[in-house]
Every structure is written in structure tokens, then in C-alpha cells.
Coordinates of all heavy atoms in Angstrom, one line a residue:
M1288 N 0.8 -1.2 0.0 CA 0.0 0.0 0.0 C 0.9 1.2 0.0 O 2.0 1.2 0.5 CB -0.9 0.0 1.2 CG -2.0 -1.0 1.2 SD -3.3 -0.6 2.3 CE -3.8 -2.2 2.7
K1289 N 0.4 2.3 -0.6 CA 1.1 3.5 -0.6 C 0.1 4.7 -0.6 O -1.1 4.5 -0.6 CB 2.0 3.6 -1.8 CG 1.3 3.5 -3.2 CD 2.3 3.5 -4.3 CE 1.7 3.2 -5.6 NZ 2.7 3.2 -6.7
S1290 N 0.6 5.9 -0.5 CA -0.3 7.1 -0.4 C -0.6 7.5 -1.8 O 0.1 7.3 -2.7 CB 0.4 8.2 0.4 OG 1.4 8.8 -0.3
L1291 N -1.7 8.3 -1.8 CA -2.1 8.9 -3.1 C -1.0 9.8 -3.7 O -0.9 9.8 -4.9 CB -3.4 9.7 -2.9 CG -4.0 10.4 -4.0 CD1 -4.4 9.4 -5.2 CD2 -5.3 11.1 -3.6
A1292 N -0.3 10.4 -2.9 CA 0.8 11.3 -3.3 C 1.9 10.6 -4.1 O 2.6 11.1 -4.9 CB 1.4 12.1 -2.2
Q1293 N 2.0 9.3 -3.8 CA 3.1 8.5 -4.5 C 2.6 7.9 -5.8 O 3.5 7.3 -6.5 CB 3.5 7.3 -3.5 CG 4.1 7.8 -2.2 CD 4.3 6.7 -1.2 OE1 3.4 5.9 -1.0 NE2 5.5 6.6 -0.7
L1294 N 1.4 8.0 -6.2 CA 1.0 7.5 -7.5 C 1.6 8.3 -8.6 O 1.9 9.5 -8.5 CB -0.6 7.7 -7.7 CG -1.5 6.7 -7.0 CD1 -2.9 7.0 -7.3 CD2 -1.1 5.2 -7.3
S1295 N 1.9 7.6 -9.7 CA 2.4 8.3 -10.9 C 1.2 8.8 -11.7 O 0.1 8.3 -11.5 CB 3.2 7.3 -11.8 OG 4.3 6.7 -11.0
I1296 N 1.5 9.7 -12.7 CA 0.4 10.2 -13.5 C -0.2 9.1 -14.3 O 0.5 8.2 -14.8 CB 1.0 11.3 -14.4 CG1 1.4 12.5 -13.6 CG2 -0.1 11.7 -15.4 CD1 2.1 13.6 -14.3
N1297 N -1.5 9.0 -14.4 CA -2.4 8.0 -15.0 C -2.5 6.7 -14.2 O -3.1 5.8 -14.7 CB -2.0 7.8 -16.5 CG -2.3 9.0 -17.3 OD1 -3.3 9.7 -17.1 ND2 -1.5 9.2 -18.3
E1298 N -1.8 6.6 -13.1 CA -1.9 5.4 -12.3 C -3.2 5.5 -11.4 O -3.6 6.6 -11.0 CB -0.7 5.3 -11.4 CG -0.5 4.0 -10.7 CD 0.8 3.9 -9.9 OE1 1.5 4.9 -9.8 OE2 1.1 2.8 -9.4
Q1299 N -3.8 4.3 -11.2 CA -5.1 4.3 -10.5 C -4.9 3.4 -9.2 O -4.0 2.6 -9.1 CB -6.2 3.7 -11.3 CG -6.5 4.5 -12.6 CD -7.6 3.9 -13.4 OE1 -8.2 2.9 -13.0 NE2 -7.9 4.5 -14.5
G1300 N -5.8 3.6 -8.3 CA -5.9 2.8 -7.1 C -7.2 3.0 -6.4 O -8.1 3.7 -6.9
V1301 N -7.4 2.2 -5.3 CA -8.6 2.2 -4.6 C -8.3 2.8 -3.2 O -7.3 2.3 -2.5 CB -9.3 0.8 -4.5 CG1 -10.5 0.9 -3.6 CG2 -9.6 0.3 -5.8
I1302 N -9.1 3.7 -2.7 CA -8.8 4.3 -1.4 C -9.1 3.3 -0.3 O -10.2 2.7 -0.3 CB -9.7 5.6 -1.2 CG1 -9.3 6.6 -2.3 CG2 -9.5 6.2 0.2 CD1 -10.3 7.8 -2.3
Q1303 N -8.1 3.1 0.5 CA -8.3 2.1 1.7 C -8.6 2.8 2.9 O -9.5 2.4 3.7 CB -7.0 1.3 1.8 CG -6.6 0.4 0.7 CD -7.7 -0.6 0.4 OE1 -8.2 -1.3 1.3 NE2 -8.2 -0.7 -0.8
S1304 N -7.9 3.9 3.2 CA -8.2 4.6 4.5 C -7.6 6.1 4.4 O -6.9 6.4 3.4 CB -7.5 3.9 5.6 OG -6.1 3.9 5.5
I1305 N -8.0 6.9 5.3 CA -7.5 8.3 5.4 C -7.0 8.4 6.8 O -7.7 8.2 7.8 CB -8.7 9.3 5.1 CG1 -9.3 9.0 3.8 CG2 -8.1 10.7 5.3 CD1 -10.6 9.8 3.5
A1306 N -5.7 8.8 6.9 CA -5.1 9.0 8.2 C -5.8 10.2 9.0 O -6.3 11.1 8.3 CB -3.6 9.4 8.0
K1307 N -6.0 10.0 10.3 CA -6.6 11.0 11.1 C -5.7 12.3 11.1 O -4.6 12.2 11.3 CB -6.8 10.5 12.5 CG -7.7 9.3 12.6 CD -9.0 9.8 13.1 CE -9.9 8.5 13.3 NZ -11.3 8.8 13.1
S1308 N -6.4 13.4 10.8 CA -5.7 14.7 10.8 C -6.8 15.7 10.8 O -8.0 15.5 10.7 CB -4.8 14.8 9.6 OG -5.5 15.2 8.5
E1309 N -6.3 17.0 10.8 CA -7.2 18.1 10.7 C -7.9 18.1 9.4 O -8.9 18.8 9.2 CB -6.5 19.4 11.0 CG -5.4 19.7 10.0 CD -4.6 20.9 10.4 OE1 -5.1 22.0 10.3 OE2 -3.4 20.7 10.8
F1310 N -7.4 17.4 8.3 CA -7.9 17.5 7.0 C -8.8 16.3 6.7 O -9.5 16.3 5.7 CB -6.8 17.5 6.0 CG -5.8 18.6 6.1 CD1 -4.5 18.4 6.5 CD2 -6.2 19.9 5.8 CE1 -3.7 19.4 6.7 CE2 -5.4 21.0 6.0 CZ -4.1 20.7 6.4
S1311 N -8.9 15.3 7.5 CA -9.6 14.0 7.2 C -11.1 14.3 6.9 O -11.6 13.7 6.0 CB -9.3 12.9 8.2 OG -9.7 13.4 9.5
N1312 N -11.7 15.1 7.8 CA -13.2 15.3 7.5 C -13.4 16.1 6.2 O -14.3 15.9 5.5 CB -13.8 16.1 8.7 CG -14.0 15.2 9.9 OD1 -14.1 14.0 9.8 ND2 -14.1 15.8 11.1
K1313 N -12.5 17.1 6.0 CA -12.6 17.9 4.7 C -12.5 17.0 3.5 O -13.2 17.1 2.5 CB -11.5 18.9 4.7 CG -11.4 19.8 3.5 CD -10.2 20.7 3.6 CE -9.9 21.3 2.2 NZ -8.7 22.0 2.2
L1314 N -11.5 16.0 3.5 CA -11.3 15.1 2.4 C -12.6 14.3 2.2 O -13.0 14.0 1.1 CB -10.1 14.3 2.7 CG -8.8 15.0 2.7 CD1 -7.6 14.1 3.1 CD2 -8.5 15.5 1.3
M1315 N -13.1 13.8 3.3 CA -14.3 12.9 3.2 C -15.5 13.7 2.6 O -16.3 13.2 1.8 CB -14.7 12.3 4.5 CG -13.6 11.2 4.9 SD -13.7 10.5 6.5 CE -15.3 9.7 6.5
E1316 N -15.6 15.0 3.0 CA -16.7 15.8 2.5 C -16.5 16.1 1.0 O -17.5 16.3 0.3 CB -16.7 17.2 3.2 CG -17.2 17.1 4.6 CD -17.1 18.3 5.4 OE1 -16.6 19.3 4.9 OE2 -17.5 18.3 6.6
M1317 N -15.3 16.0 0.5 CA -15.1 16.2 -0.9 C -15.2 14.9 -1.7 O -15.0 14.9 -2.9 CB -13.6 16.8 -1.1 CG -13.5 18.2 -0.6 SD -12.0 19.0 -1.1 CE -10.7 17.9 -0.5
G1318 N -15.6 13.8 -1.1 CA -15.8 12.6 -1.8 C -14.7 11.6 -1.8 O -14.7 10.6 -2.4
I1319 N -13.6 11.9 -1.0 CA -12.5 11.0 -0.8 C -13.0 10.0 0.3 O -12.8 10.2 1.5 CB -11.3 11.7 -0.4 CG1 -10.9 12.8 -1.3 CG2 -10.1 10.8 -0.2 CD1 -10.4 12.4 -2.7
L1320 N -13.6 8.9 -0.2 CA -14.1 7.9 0.8 C -13.5 6.5 0.5 O -13.2 6.2 -0.6 CB -15.6 7.8 0.5 CG -16.4 9.1 0.8 CD1 -17.8 8.9 0.3 CD2 -16.4 9.4 2.3
P1321 N -13.3 5.8 1.6 CA -12.7 4.4 1.4 C -13.6 3.6 0.4 O -14.8 3.7 0.4 CB -12.8 3.8 2.8 CG -12.7 5.0 3.7 CD -13.5 6.1 3.0
G1322 N -12.9 2.9 -0.5 CA -13.6 2.1 -1.5 C -13.7 2.8 -2.8 O -14.1 2.1 -3.8
S1323 N -13.5 4.1 -2.9 CA -13.6 4.8 -4.1 C -12.4 4.6 -5.0 O -11.2 4.6 -4.5 CB -13.8 6.3 -3.9 OG -14.9 6.6 -3.1
E1324 N -12.6 4.6 -6.3 CA -11.4 4.5 -7.2 C -10.9 5.9 -7.4 O -11.7 6.9 -7.5 CB -11.8 3.9 -8.5 CG -12.2 2.4 -8.4 CD -12.4 1.8 -9.8 OE1 -12.0 2.3 -10.8 OE2 -13.0 0.7 -9.8
V1325 N -9.6 6.0 -7.6 CA -9.0 7.3 -7.7 C -7.9 7.2 -8.8 O -7.2 6.1 -8.9 CB -8.4 7.9 -6.4 CG1 -7.4 7.0 -5.8 CG2 -8.0 9.3 -6.5
K1326 N -7.7 8.2 -9.6 CA -6.7 8.2 -10.6 C -5.9 9.5 -10.5 O -6.5 10.6 -10.4 CB -7.3 8.1 -12.0 CG -6.4 8.2 -13.2 CD -7.2 8.2 -14.5 CE -6.3 8.5 -15.7 NZ -7.0 8.6 -16.9
M1327 N -4.6 9.4 -10.6 CA -3.7 10.6 -10.6 C -3.7 11.2 -12.0 O -3.4 10.6 -13.0 CB -2.3 10.2 -10.2 CG -1.3 11.4 -10.2 SD -1.7 12.6 -9.0 CE -1.3 11.8 -7.4
C1328 N -4.2 12.5 -12.1 CA -4.2 13.1 -13.4 C -3.0 14.0 -13.7 O -2.5 14.0 -14.8 CB -5.5 14.0 -13.5 SG -7.0 13.1 -13.3
S1329 N -2.5 14.7 -12.7 CA -1.4 15.6 -12.9 C -0.7 16.0 -11.6 O -1.4 15.9 -10.6 CB -1.7 16.8 -13.8 OG -2.6 17.6 -13.1
K1330 N 0.5 16.4 -11.7 CA 1.3 16.8 -10.5 C 2.0 18.1 -10.9 O 2.6 18.2 -11.9 CB 2.3 15.8 -10.1 CG 1.8 14.5 -9.6 CD 2.9 13.6 -9.2 CE 2.4 12.4 -8.4 NZ 3.5 11.5 -7.9
A1331 N 1.9 19.1 -10.0 CA 2.6 20.3 -10.2 C 4.1 20.1 -9.8 O 4.4 19.2 -8.9 CB 2.0 21.4 -9.3
P1332 N 5.0 20.8 -10.4 CA 6.4 20.6 -10.1 C 6.8 21.1 -8.7 O 6.0 21.9 -8.1 CB 7.2 21.3 -11.2 CG 6.2 22.3 -11.7 CD 4.8 21.7 -11.5
F1333 N 7.9 20.7 -8.2 CA 8.5 21.2 -6.9 C 7.6 20.9 -5.7 O 7.4 21.8 -4.8 CB 8.8 22.7 -7.0 CG 9.7 23.0 -8.2 CD1 9.2 23.8 -9.3 CD2 11.0 22.5 -8.3 CE1 10.0 24.0 -10.4 CE2 11.8 22.8 -9.4 CZ 11.3 23.5 -10.4
G1334 N 6.9 19.8 -5.7 CA 6.0 19.4 -4.6 C 4.7 20.2 -4.5 O 4.1 20.3 -3.4
G1335 N 4.3 20.7 -5.6 CA 3.0 21.5 -5.6 C 1.8 20.6 -5.5 O 1.9 19.4 -5.3
P1336 N 0.7 21.1 -5.8 CA -0.6 20.3 -5.7 C -0.7 19.2 -6.7 O 0.0 19.3 -7.7 CB -1.7 21.4 -5.8 CG -1.0 22.6 -6.4 CD 0.4 22.5 -6.1
V1337 N -1.5 18.3 -6.4 CA -1.8 17.2 -7.4 C -3.3 17.3 -7.8 O -4.1 17.8 -7.1 CB -1.5 15.8 -6.8 CG1 0.0 15.7 -6.4 CG2 -2.4 15.5 -5.6
C1338 N -3.6 16.8 -9.0 CA -4.9 16.7 -9.5 C -5.3 15.3 -9.6 O -4.6 14.5 -10.3 CB -5.1 17.5 -10.8 SG -6.7 17.5 -11.5
V1339 N -6.4 14.9 -8.9 CA -6.9 13.5 -9.0 C -8.3 13.4 -9.5 O -9.1 14.4 -9.3 CB -6.7 12.8 -7.6 CG1 -5.3 12.8 -7.2 CG2 -7.6 13.5 -6.6
E1340 N -8.6 12.3 -10.1 CA -10.0 12.1 -10.5 C -10.6 11.1 -9.6 O -10.1 10.0 -9.4 CB -10.1 11.6 -11.9 CG -11.5 11.4 -12.5 CD -11.5 10.9 -13.9 OE1 -10.6 11.3 -14.7 OE2 -12.4 10.0 -14.2
V1341 N -11.8 11.4 -8.9 CA -12.5 10.5 -8.0 C -14.0 10.7 -8.3 O -14.4 11.9 -8.4 CB -12.0 10.8 -6.6 CG1 -12.3 12.2 -6.1 CG2 -12.7 9.7 -5.7
C1342 N -14.7 9.7 -8.4 CA -16.2 9.7 -8.6 C -16.5 10.6 -9.8 O -17.6 11.3 -9.7 CB -16.8 10.2 -7.3 SG -16.6 9.2 -5.8
G1343 N -15.7 10.6 -10.8 CA -16.1 11.3 -12.1 C -15.8 12.8 -12.1 O -16.1 13.4 -13.0
Y1344 N -15.1 13.3 -11.1 CA -14.7 14.7 -11.1 C -13.3 14.8 -10.6 O -12.7 13.9 -10.0 CB -15.7 15.6 -10.3 CG -15.8 15.2 -8.8 CD1 -15.0 15.7 -7.9 CD2 -16.8 14.3 -8.5 CE1 -15.1 15.3 -6.5 CE2 -16.9 13.9 -7.1 CZ -16.1 14.4 -6.2 OH -16.3 14.1 -4.9
C1345 N -12.7 16.0 -10.9 CA -11.3 16.2 -10.6 C -11.2 17.1 -9.4 O -11.9 18.1 -9.2 CB -10.6 16.9 -11.8 SG -10.4 15.8 -13.2
L1346 N -10.2 16.8 -8.5 CA -10.0 17.5 -7.3 C -8.5 17.9 -7.3 O -7.6 17.1 -7.7 CB -10.2 16.7 -6.1 CG -11.6 16.4 -5.7 CD1 -11.6 15.4 -4.5 CD2 -12.3 17.7 -5.3
S1347 N -8.2 19.1 -6.9 CA -6.8 19.5 -6.6 C -6.6 19.4 -5.1 O -7.4 19.9 -4.3 CB -6.6 20.9 -7.1 OG -6.6 20.9 -8.5
L1348 N -5.5 18.7 -4.8 CA -5.2 18.6 -3.4 C -3.7 19.0 -3.1 O -2.9 18.8 -4.0 CB -5.3 17.1 -3.0 CG -6.6 16.4 -3.1 CD1 -6.5 14.9 -2.9 CD2 -7.6 17.0 -2.1
R1349 N -3.4 19.5 -2.0 CA -2.0 19.7 -1.6 C -1.4 18.4 -1.5 O -2.0 17.4 -1.1 CB -1.9 20.5 -0.3 CG -2.5 21.9 -0.3 CD -2.3 22.6 1.0 NE -3.0 23.8 1.0 CZ -4.2 24.1 1.5 NH1 -4.8 23.2 2.2 NH2 -4.7 25.3 1.4
K1350 N -0.1 18.3 -1.8 CA 0.6 17.1 -1.7 C 0.6 16.5 -0.2 O 0.4 15.3 0.0 CB 2.1 17.3 -2.1 CG 2.8 16.0 -2.3 CD 4.2 16.2 -2.8 CE 4.9 14.9 -3.0 NZ 6.2 15.1 -3.6
K1351 N 0.6 17.4 0.8 CA 0.4 17.0 2.2 C -0.9 16.3 2.4 O -1.0 15.2 3.1 CB 0.5 18.2 3.1 CG 0.4 17.9 4.5 CD 0.5 19.2 5.3 CE 0.3 18.9 6.8 NZ 0.4 20.2 7.6
E1352 N -2.0 16.8 1.8 CA -3.3 16.2 2.0 C -3.3 14.8 1.3 O -3.9 13.8 1.8 CB -4.4 17.1 1.4 CG -4.5 18.4 2.2 CD -5.4 19.4 1.5 OE1 -5.6 19.3 0.3 OE2 -5.9 20.3 2.2
A1353 N -2.8 14.8 0.0 CA -2.7 13.5 -0.7 C -1.9 12.4 0.0 O -2.2 11.2 -0.1 CB -2.2 13.8 -2.1
G1354 N -0.9 12.9 0.8 CA -0.1 11.9 1.5 C -0.9 11.2 2.7 O -0.5 10.2 3.2
L1355 N -2.0 11.8 3.1 CA -2.8 11.2 4.1 C -3.7 10.1 3.6 O -4.3 9.3 4.4 CB -3.7 12.3 4.8 CG -3.0 13.5 5.4 CD1 -4.0 14.5 5.8 CD2 -2.3 13.0 6.6
I1356 N -3.9 10.0 2.3 CA -4.8 9.0 1.7 C -4.1 7.7 1.3 O -3.2 7.8 0.5 CB -5.5 9.6 0.5 CG1 -6.2 10.9 0.9 CG2 -6.5 8.6 -0.1 CD1 -6.7 11.8 -0.2
I1357 N -4.4 6.6 2.0 CA -3.8 5.4 1.7 C -4.6 4.6 0.7 O -5.8 4.5 0.8 CB -3.7 4.5 3.0 CG1 -3.0 5.3 4.1 CG2 -2.9 3.2 2.8 CD1 -1.6 5.8 3.8
I1358 N -3.9 4.1 -0.3 CA -4.5 3.4 -1.4 C -3.9 2.0 -1.7 O -2.8 1.8 -1.3 CB -4.5 4.2 -2.7 CG1 -3.1 4.4 -3.2 CG2 -5.2 5.5 -2.6 CD1 -3.0 4.9 -4.6
S1359 N -4.7 1.2 -2.4 CA -4.1 -0.1 -2.9 C -4.3 0.0 -4.4 O -5.2 0.6 -4.9 CB -4.9 -1.3 -2.3 OG -6.2 -1.2 -2.6
E1360 N -3.5 -0.7 -5.1 CA -3.5 -0.7 -6.6 C -4.4 -1.9 -7.1 O -4.7 -2.8 -6.5 CB -2.1 -0.7 -7.1 CG -1.4 0.5 -6.7 CD 0.1 0.4 -7.2 OE1 0.3 0.4 -8.4 OE2 0.9 0.5 -6.3

């Protein structure tokens, strides 16, 4: 298992869990839920935000937030 931030562009996975943090509720409100399929669409250079597709829409997340999301491939 690895975090969402570790996915390569166009790589997909299934969300397994979200680490407890101040952002976990915010992520779940945005549709980041265990069991959902997620795909890495793009990454900004120099550790910037990432763009992921989940539930048919695209979300931009800080790399720190994406690192809280544990996925399986």
C-alpha cells in the first residue's frame, strides 16, 4: 500500500483509508471515501498540488493532503 501522493500520472488505485488529521473530515466531504477508485491526473512541479479524478470529477489537493490518503492498486 502507498499514499495517493506516491501515484504516478495516469496510475489508479482504490482508497483504503484516510489518516486521522485536521484534513480528514474535509477530504471525506469532498468525496474521498474508502472504497472509491482514484486516478492521478497531474502533478505540479516542486512538490506542488496534485490533481486527482475521483467519482467522475477532478480535485486538486495539496501534496500533504494527498499523503494522508492510503490506497491499494
Side-chain angles (χ1 to χ4, degrees):
M1288 288 197 213
K1289 57 186 175 181
S1290 77
L1291 179 58
Q1293 295 173 312
L1294 282 182
S1295 301
I1296 294 175
N1297 291 324
E1298 193 174 5
Q1299 298 181 3
V1301 176
I1302 298 169
Q1303 295 300 308
S1304 63
I1305 302 169
K1307 296 262 183 206
S1308 78
E1309 60 188 290
F1310 302 112
S1311 55
N1312 284 341
K1313 175 184 163 190
L1314 293 170
M1315 291 173 61
E1316 289 173 358
M1317 292 191 303
I1319 305 289
L1320 298 170
S1323 299
E1324 291 187 19
V1325 63
K1326 176 183 172 185
M1327 179 63 70
C1328 296
S1329 63
K1330 292 181 169 184
F1333 308 113
V1337 300
C1338 180
V1339 298
E1340 182 179 325
V1341 61
C1342 299
Y1344 56 91
C1345 292
L1346 286 174
S1347 290
L1348 301 171
R1349 294 181 186 102
K1350 191 172 181 181
K1351 179 181 177 181
E1352 295 168 338
L1355 299 172
I1356 302 165
I1357 305 302
I1358 62 163
S1359 63
E1360 297 176 59

